[in-house]
Amino acid sequence: MSVQERKRRERAERERLIVATARELAEQQGWDAVTTRRLAERIEYSQPVLYSHFRGKREIIGAVALQGATEMAVAMRAATTAADGPRARVHALARAYLAFAEGNPAVYDAIFQLDGGLAYAREDTPEPLKDAFAALMESLGEVAGDGVEPGLFTEVFWASLHGVATLTRSGRLPPEETERRVRLLVDRLPVV
């Protein structure tokens, strides 16, 4: 292995460590607890080393968001693969989405609530974000109904799931009713 290859590998490993540590700290204590000073202490590197990878917290949030979007897409696809029929796929998709949001609140915030410096719904949107939306649209597009643009339908359904996720987490909706909310949403779809 060449020296350059080893350095690239070490750099990639440091970057993974920074992102994993930021994510862990955010899940434990919230994003306010994630500072470059604290990250540097936890990973046992200097702050300049952190800044050689990320210009600041905003870029770290962006890296966590991209990683989380990839994981969310995988979870949604895994859930829908086992479902039989369009309505069952949408139900499985909704459950997987809400389970991801509940199980990974800091990552969910990085993707959808915080400024990670990422472009959304544009040509230059990073691939993991596009893929997460595609994972939604794969199941939702088939139930959009005649004359309804699948992308627009997916946005509206996604907005509903996001609302359920954030309102439940903030205590504005009782969590014991989540499954009934999902059923209500899915049962009203035009496809049988």
Side-chain angles (χ1 to χ4, degrees):
M1 170 187 324
S2 73
V3 172
Q4 278 188 326
E5 188 177 319
R6 182 180 52 78
K7 285 184 178 186
R8 270 195 304 275
R9 203 169 70 215
E10 288 171 355
R11 180 172 176 76
E13 184 54 39
R14 270 193 316 271
E15 192 167 301
R16 278 191 294 277
L17 179 61
I18 293 165
V19 172
T21 304
R23 183 176 173 164
E24 178 183 315
L25 187 57
E27 291 293 2
Q28 292 171 351
Q29 299 176 30
W31 279 104
D32 288 342
V34 179
T35 64
T36 54
R37 182 186 57 77
R38 218 168 193 187
L39 284 173
E41 288 171 4
R42 284 220 176 177
I43 65 171
E44 298 178 347
Y45 283 103
S46 67
Q47 283 182 307
V49 169
L50 261 105
Y51 285 117
S52 74
H53 291 273
F54 300 98
R55 286 183 290 205
K57 183 175 176 177
R58 181 179 188 219
E59 284 189 4
I60 294 169
I61 290 169
V64 170
L66 294 176
Q67 185 182 73
T70 299
E71 293 169 9
M72 179 182 260
V74 167
M76 289 186 297
R77 285 188 175 110
T80 59
T81 299
D84 186 28
R87 191 177 304 275
R89 277 191 287 282
V90 173
H91 202 127
L93 173 85
R95 282 187 185 136
Y97 181 97
L98 294 171
F100 183 88
E102 181 182 0
N104 305 279
V107 174
Y108 188 83
D109 285 349
I111 300 169
F112 298 115
Q113 305 284 96
L114 302 174
D115 179 9
L118 304 172
Y120 286 80
R122 295 190 339 215
E123 196 66 34
D124 59 339
T125 297
E127 203 52 46
L129 298 176
K130 287 179 181 178
D131 188 51
F133 186 78
L136 286 165
M137 198 158 81
E138 287 162 10
S139 293
L140 292 168
E142 68 180 328
V143 299
D146 293 337
V148 178
E149 200 274 304
L152 189 60
F153 180 79
T154 299
E155 290 171 352
V156 172
F157 197 92
W158 167 35
S160 297
L161 290 177
H162 178 70
V164 170
T166 57
L167 292 170
T168 301
R169 189 167 113 201
S170 68
R172 287 165 176 82
L173 292 177
E176 61 273 7
E177 295 295 328
T178 299
E179 181 59 28
R180 284 184 58 206
R181 287 183 195 96
V182 169
R183 261 188 276 125
L184 179 65
L185 240 135
V186 174
D187 289 349
R188 299 299 180 260
L189 294 172
V191 168
V192 185

